Amino acid sequence: MNKLPDHDSPEIRAEDGLKRRTGRPRDAELAADAGLMDELAALSGERLPEPVRKRVLRMVRMRRRAPWMAAAAAVLGVALIVPLALRTPAPPEPSRAETLELKQALEILGRTGRDAARFAGSQLSPHLASPEWGLERVPLKIFPQYPITDRNEDHEKS
Amino acid sequence: MRKVNPLYVFAVLLALIAAPVTAQSLKDDPGFVDFEPLVAQLDKAPEVSLNFGPALLQVFAATVRESDSGLAELLSGLRGLRVMVFEGVDTTPARSFQVATREQLDRTGWESALSVRDASTHVDMYLKAGAEAIEGLALMVTEDDGTAVFINVVGALNPAALGKLVSGTGFDLGALAELATQLNGGD
């Protein structure tokens, strides 16, 4: 936060000393500034004629108003132009050629997708078949009341 | 403080607003895949080259909505559709492009949905998954007989809709055929 300068600070005392100076400062640039200030102070402050004075004051007031008026005009312009710029124009109706092209594109996409799936299936299916284990049937009669049957015949019947 | 000319502020503001409006294009879409360099590499124009942007696809979606709401729903989820079919081309540069594109897609977050090879055919299908929908599909097929198909679908599609498009089932293109017969003077 800005803090008001302490009236007893060295910088304030030095500034007051410069203002109340009686002689020329040693520094050449400061001496030149002081000399110019003395000459300007010595000029007579004649008052401008009233019509000229009013014109000057009116010009000063216009200059002060100009940036605000330009800013207001800018805001108004943005508010009007941006919605127009962002509004997309309505697209034209599709032509017969474009309609047929879209139909063709979707047909090609579907056909290529089906072919790709079929191709993938043809590559995968040999790897998905159940292997034949080739186990011999064990000739044991664990449950005498049930006759031994050929399992392959049972599977075909089911 | 130095005063800033309000006209400069206005000009900068307009430039900032205009820039995003003019810079939006399909190439900035995350589901977009650039297949155009393939044409230069093969040094041959595709037999079939079809390209649809978001505006035209939405027009079609609105146009067929009354006659086929299912097809309209599919089309409304699309932002771009690019189909290129080459025939009788040198397979080597086409396969090189396919490999390079695969590597690029792998690096940029695309997922391989299908990658199958045999002695004569290479098939790759990649998907770009977004937060809520699939944003892109890239389907590349090259065959030793010189046939090459490269397809890019850009949009916001749910898996069911994408499955219908890629399989060509679950929707009817009759509405488009009927629309074509109704339109005249557009050729």
Side-chain angles (χ1 to χ4, degrees):
Chain A
M1 291 289 289
N2 291 333
K3 189 178 153 188
L4 287 173
D6 187 4
H7 287 286
D8 209 23
S9 68
E11 292 81 12
I12 297 295
R13 285 203 296 273
E15 189 181 339
D16 286 344
L18 281 172
K19 286 178 183 173
R20 289 195 298 271
R21 63 170 175 81
T22 52
R24 295 273 173 163
R26 288 182 185 175
D27 184 77
E29 288 185 9
L30 285 177
D33 285 344
L36 177 61
M37 283 172 62
D38 289 341
E39 286 181 25
L40 290 173
L43 292 174
S44 62
E46 292 177 359
R47 196 173 173 82
L48 288 171
E50 195 59 30
V52 176
R53 181 171 172 274
K54 285 183 180 174
R55 274 174 62 190
V56 168
L57 286 175
R58 195 163 51 238
M59 280 171 59
V60 168
R61 283 191 210 111
M62 284 285 293
R63 282 205 191 115
R64 284 182 188 158
R65 270 205 298 264
W68 290 105
M69 290 169 67
V75 169
L76 189 63
V78 167
L80 288 174
I81 291 172
V82 166
L84 289 174
L86 292 179
R87 188 181 64 192
T88 53
E93 193 179 60
S95 67
R96 183 172 180 272
E98 287 168 338
T99 306
L100 291 174
E101 285 175 358
L102 178 62
K103 182 172 176 290
Q104 183 186 19
L106 293 173
E107 284 171 347
I108 292 174
L109 173 58
R111 189 166 58 241
T112 307
R114 285 195 302 273
D115 289 346
R118 201 174 302 124
F119 175 63
S122 68
Q123 296 296 305
L124 283 172
S125 57
H127 303 282
L128 296 176
S130 277
E132 178 57 52
W133 296 106
L135 292 177
E136 295 287 338
R137 181 172 174 80
V138 177
L140 289 178
K141 204 169 183 180
I142 297 174
F143 300 103
Q145 64 272 33
Y146 298 115
I148 296 173
T149 58
D150 187 345
R151 285 207 185 94
N152 285 334
E153 287 180 3
D154 292 342
H155 179 70
E156 284 169 8
K157 283 178 191 172
S158 63
Chain B
M1 195 174 98
R2 192 179 162 190
K3 282 190 181 177
V4 177
N5 191 332
L7 289 179
Y8 290 140
V9 175
F10 174 65
V12 169
L13 191 63
L14 258 189
L16 287 173
I17 291 169
V21 172
T22 54
Q24 283 177 353
S25 74
L26 200 57
K27 289 189 177 182
D28 299 327
D29 201 295
F32 175 79
V33 180
D34 190 5
F35 288 142
E36 296 310 315
L38 178 60
V39 178
Q41 289 190 22
L42 294 179
D43 197 22
K44 187 182 179 190
E47 297 294 324
V48 177
S49 177
L50 304 168
N51 196 4
F52 298 89
L56 190 55
L57 287 166
Q58 295 312 309
V59 167
F60 275 115
T63 306
V64 303
R65 196 169 297 280
E66 274 192 33
S67 53
D68 191 336
S69 60
L71 179 61
E73 190 65 30
L74 279 177
L75 294 176
S76 64
L78 296 182
R79 289 193 292 269
L81 177 59
R82 183 78 172 99
V83 175
M84 288 202 292
V85 179
F86 297 87
E87 290 177 2
V89 294
D90 186 358
T91 309
T92 305
R95 291 254 165 89
S96 298
F97 182 83
Q98 186 174 359
V99 169
T101 304
R102 282 184 56 197
E103 291 170 357
Q104 178 208 334
L105 297 179
D106 284 333
R107 280 197 308 269
T108 52
W110 287 67
E111 296 168 12
S112 176
L114 183 68
S115 185
V116 191
R117 307 264 182 281
D118 74 358
S120 61
T121 305
H122 290 202
V123 177
D124 288 300
M125 185 161 72
Y126 276 78
L127 299 175
K128 179 72 170 178
E132 296 177 359
I134 296 172
E135 296 176 335
L137 173 139
L139 180 55
M140 301 179 284
V141 180
T142 53
E143 299 184 52
D144 280 354
D145 64 0
T147 303
V149 180
F150 288 79
I151 299 173
N152 179 214
V153 181
V154 185
L157 298 161
N158 62 56
L162 190 63
K164 288 181 185 177
L165 279 174
V166 175
S167 65
T169 59
F171 65 97
D172 186 9
L173 294 177
L176 288 177
E178 192 181 325
L179 178 63
T181 58
Q182 290 173 1
L183 291 168
N184 53 22
D187 292 356

